[in-house]
Each structure stands twice: as structure tokens, then as C-alpha cells.
Amino acid sequence: MPSSLRPDIDAAEGPASTDGARLTRRTLLGRGAAGAVGGVLGVAALQSWAAQEEGAEALLRQGGVVALYRHALAPGTFDPPGFRLGDCGTQRNLNDEGRAQAQRIGEWFQARRLQPTKVLSSPWCRCIDTATLAFGTPQVWAPLGSPRGYPETTGAAHLRALREALAAASARGGRFEVWVSHMFVQADLAHDSTSSGEALILRHQGGAAPQVLARWALPG
């Protein structure tokens, strides 16, 4: 399928298949139902989220990991026909909610004085904008780009580059990197994916697929 006509499953309304995404929805439902059920569901969900937050922070402080983010909310299911890299006006971009989501990500890191040693981004504007709003200007890196053409998989050369970079990052204790990319790239690299604005915390596992240590999402 041509890239200009393919559905981009990075869409904000795409199916969420991760525990982190489900947790976010449970948290919101718990808050809404708290008045009706004495707050039990809401408290349980918030306690689960607090434990997830503590675990993610501990992994980042320990280092030797990469936080692979899917870009923040950019509504829609297609890149417009004839879109061009380097021309944001031709692409599907973050909306106001997505920009606020990216800023909240950055605020979470800043509040904990967690500073990535490197921030890499897909060449797509929605990824660059997510990284910039959260962390400042990123290094644009082609292997993080959304696959184009058919089948919709990350090319072998790009996948090899991603694995090599993850292996190098995993060898650096006390430091971590942030990568901002797309759902397809998450799935091809780690056999897992997230909702918009959420991350997989990854570590290299020898010759095997990367280990997903955690899924991390700020509460909705």
C-alpha cells in the first residue's frame, strides 16, 4: 500500500494493546466512579499507577536502558497524500492535547531531575515536536522513522541499527536515552507497543529481542 494511502496505526484512536494503556483508562474510570463506590476503585488504580511510576523512575536512574516513546497525540489515521518529510504542513501533526501531553512528559522528567544523555527522534514532525516539547531539540535519526510501503515493517537495515544502538545504550550504567518514534517501530523492535505519548523501557538482551522492562504512561 502506498505510504500516502496507508492507515497510520500510530493514530491516537488506534487499538491499545498494552498494560500501560489499559492502566490509564482504568485510572480515569476509577476517578469517575469514586463517588459511587466509595472511592475504592479510584484508590486502587492510583496505587497501581504510583507503583508503576516508582518502578519506571528506578529503572531510569539505574540506567542502561532506553525509553522508547510513541509520539504524543496526533489525531487521524493517515498521513495526507503527498506528505513530505521536512515539511510539517504536509504531515499529520500534534493537536493541542498532544502538545500538552508532550510538555507533561518533560515536566515529569524535570521534576525528578532525570536527564537523558541522548534524545533521538524519528524524522516525522509529530515525533520531533513531541521530543522538542518534552526535552528540547532532539537528534533526528532515520531508523526511528515510520515504515513506508508494503509490508508495513521496519526495514532490516534500520532494525539492525536500532538493535545496535540499544545494545550500546544498555552497556552504559547510570545513563539512559529517550527515543521518540511510532507504534510500528515499537512493535518491530520490541514486539510490543503503546498508546500515544507512552513509552516502553527497553534493555538489550544479547541476541534475543529487547527486554521490555516496563511500560510507562503518565495518568490521563
Side-chain angles (χ1 to χ4, degrees), residues 39 153 168:
T153 56

Side-chain angles (χ1 to χ4, degrees), residues 78-115:
F78 295 89
D79 269 309
F83 86 99
R84 299 184 302 277
L85 293 181
D87 186 349
C88 296
T90 68
Q91 299 179 34
R92 180 166 62 86
N93 295 299
L94 304 184
N95 64 357
D96 288 344
E97 184 177 349
R99 287 187 286 272
Q101 185 181 39
Q103 289 171 338
R104 289 197 304 272
I105 291 169
E107 289 166 358
W108 185 89
F109 280 82
Q110 291 169 11
R112 287 153 186 81
R113 297 184 179 180
L114 288 167
Q115 181 65 43

Side-chain angles (χ1 to χ4, degrees), residues 4 12 27 50 63 76 88 104 114 161 187-188 192 206:
S4 61
T27 301
C88 296
R104 289 197 304 272
L114 288 167
D188 290 338
D192 202 347

Side-chain angles (χ1 to χ4, degrees), residues 123-182:
W124 267 250
C125 292
R126 53 188 175 269
C127 295
I128 295 172
D129 289 347
T130 298
T132 300
L133 288 166
F135 302 103
T137 304
Q139 177 183 338
V140 175
W141 191 36
L144 289 171
S146 182
R148 291 183 283 178
Y150 185 83
E152 293 291 357
T153 56
T154 302
H158 280 184
L159 191 56
R160 183 166 56 251
L162 291 167
R163 288 171 175 163
E164 290 173 354
L166 177 60
S170 298
R172 302 185 186 109
R175 293 184 286 175
F176 69 93
E177 297 182 10
V178 169
W179 299 354
V180 183
S181 190
H182 309 260

